[in-house]
Amino acid sequence: MPTLAVQRDDLFASLGRTYTEEEFDELCFEFGVELDEVTSEREEALKSSTVKLTKDEITNLSDDVVYKIDVPANRYDLLCIEGLSRALRIFLGDVKSPVYEVVKLEGDPPSDVHRMTVVQSTTSTVRPFVVCAILRDIAFDSRKYASFIDLQDQLHRNLCRQRTLVAIGTHDLDTVRGPFKYDARDPDGIEFVPLTHDEEGLSFTGRSLLEHYETAPACKHLKPYVPIIKDSPLYPVVLDADEVVMSLPPIINGAHSKISLDTKNVFVECTATDLTKANIVLDTVVAMFSEHCARPFTVEPVTVSFVDDDGVETKSYVTPQMYTRRERAGVDFVNSLIGIDAEPETMVDLCDKLQLGPAALVAGEDGKQMIEVTVPPTRSDILHAVDIAEDVGIAYGYNNIVKRVPKTSTVGGEQPLNKLGDLLRDEIGRAGYTEVLTHGLCSI
């Protein structure tokens, strides 16, 4: 379960409310997350067994209260303060769910900054997909900037599977020139100044950079990602129209297009081996931080075109998708699963609290009432009627569900297949074999 660390005062300012620790703990429980720990930067440093700081460094650390909040592993929209505070305000009824808008661009074909060309023959051998978007007229301050970086780190650790599935690159759009290109090239032919060596202005080739990251203590946080592409004959690279290297995914961005507090326009690119997850990641980043744009919750699209070795376009798509969709669940099914007897109209109102509105009552194929919800692009976790029922239960309030003794009694028993498996294990073990459980279904 991912843990989000947020400054208490920043969170309360975003919520427009203040709570005691006990009150906020109760709010978290009602919403379906958990306040795991209350700490501070200095307290964390003092109790850490791995991070050793000097007395002066510890003195300079903040005593501001930090809340560590455990969020569900499939709620990627809660991995930053923007998403958490927005979801809590909607849950409390303070605001309505936002409507996300992909801006319609004038002109056909799109302008240079709204185009990304993918060299299909080379990228298909290493990371075949890329999706892009532009956040226009965004306003950063130190807190928003830190949250922007932290969300990318959280997504990389979770949905992106340590960058093996998706890697996020963010760039100052005003420092580069479109149209952009996504290619895969000989690592010795890629040369640029990485973010890690911006101050020194030290340039590396792709191969020498990865060799450096494998051994440099100052870059040990990047070492785990090196094996992803190190043995590949071609390294993926994102370039602008002047052949300036913007990023070497999934390792590091170039210093030339780095984001700063003065950045106003952000170009977001996600390279991936899984297109579905790439779209979820891009939609999440855009949905969370488009609230800081001059026109909140708007994003400019980018047309991604795949070309062959002759430069002929083979396929294209426009990103971000930012799709909303409709899903249904039977009213009787929801009541039965949760153990409540809520009126259909009440369920419609409850869906608004968990960002599943507008919802409506419709007739199913069997004539029974069903609730039809609107799933926003931030709720990729809604896959089935059970997910809708779960959110209705959260909005209804677990503490409001009356405990009842089941009307039926059953006797527990082993499934026939499990019983057979146990018998086989027992006999094989008696024959001298040792049972080994693999980690095939574990994330390690």
Side-chain angles (χ1 to χ4, degrees), residues 380-396:
S380 59
D381 59 299
I382 303 295
L383 302 174
H384 189 272
V386 170
D387 301 314
I388 298 173
E390 179 187 14
D391 273 15
V392 170
I394 292 172
Y396 184 85

Side-chain angles (χ1 to χ4, degrees), residues 98-105 133-136 283 286-287 290-291 293-301 319-324 377:
V99 177
Y100 304 99
E101 178 188 358
V102 178
V103 178
K104 286 189 176 181
L105 302 176
I134 294 174
L135 294 174
R136 185 74 67 176
D283 286 355
V286 165
S290 58
E291 76 170 53
C293 293
R295 290 177 57 197
F297 307 114
T298 61
V299 59
E300 293 183 9
T319 59
Q321 295 179 331
M322 302 300 284
Y323 290 153
T324 59

Side-chain angles (χ1 to χ4, degrees), residues 195-249:
L195 268 179
T196 49
H197 294 76
D198 181 31
E199 293 184 3
E200 305 98 310
L202 192 58
S203 180
F204 293 82
T205 65
R207 191 184 306 278
S208 63
L209 181 63
L210 266 58
E211 291 172 351
H212 174 71
Y213 285 162
E214 280 187 313
T215 57
C219 303
K220 62 182 180 181
H221 60 292
L222 295 171
K223 182 179 178 180
Y225 311 122
V226 170
I228 299 175
I229 62 169
K230 186 175 186 297
D231 295 329
S232 173
L234 301 177
Y235 287 4
V237 60
V238 177
L239 310 109
D240 78 346
D242 297 320
E243 291 284 298
V244 173
V245 174
M246 298 167 60
S247 69
L248 183 73

Side-chain angles (χ1 to χ4, degrees), residues 41-42 45-46 50-58 61:
E41 283 186 355
R42 183 176 299 175
L46 289 172
T50 57
V51 179
K52 302 299 181 182
L53 301 177
T54 65
K55 289 184 178 180
D56 290 339
E57 288 174 327
I58 292 176
L61 293 176

Side-chain angles (χ1 to χ4, degrees), residues 402-415:
V402 179
K403 295 180 180 179
R404 297 186 179 93
V405 176
K407 296 180 180 179
T408 58
S409 59
T410 61
V411 177
E414 196 173 20
Q415 291 287 346

Side-chain angles (χ1 to χ4, degrees), residues 15 17 19 88-96:
L15 292 174
R17 301 173 180 228
Y19 297 88
L88 287 174
R89 292 180 69 198
I90 294 170
F91 180 74
L92 293 167
D94 294 342
V95 295
K96 296 289 186 182

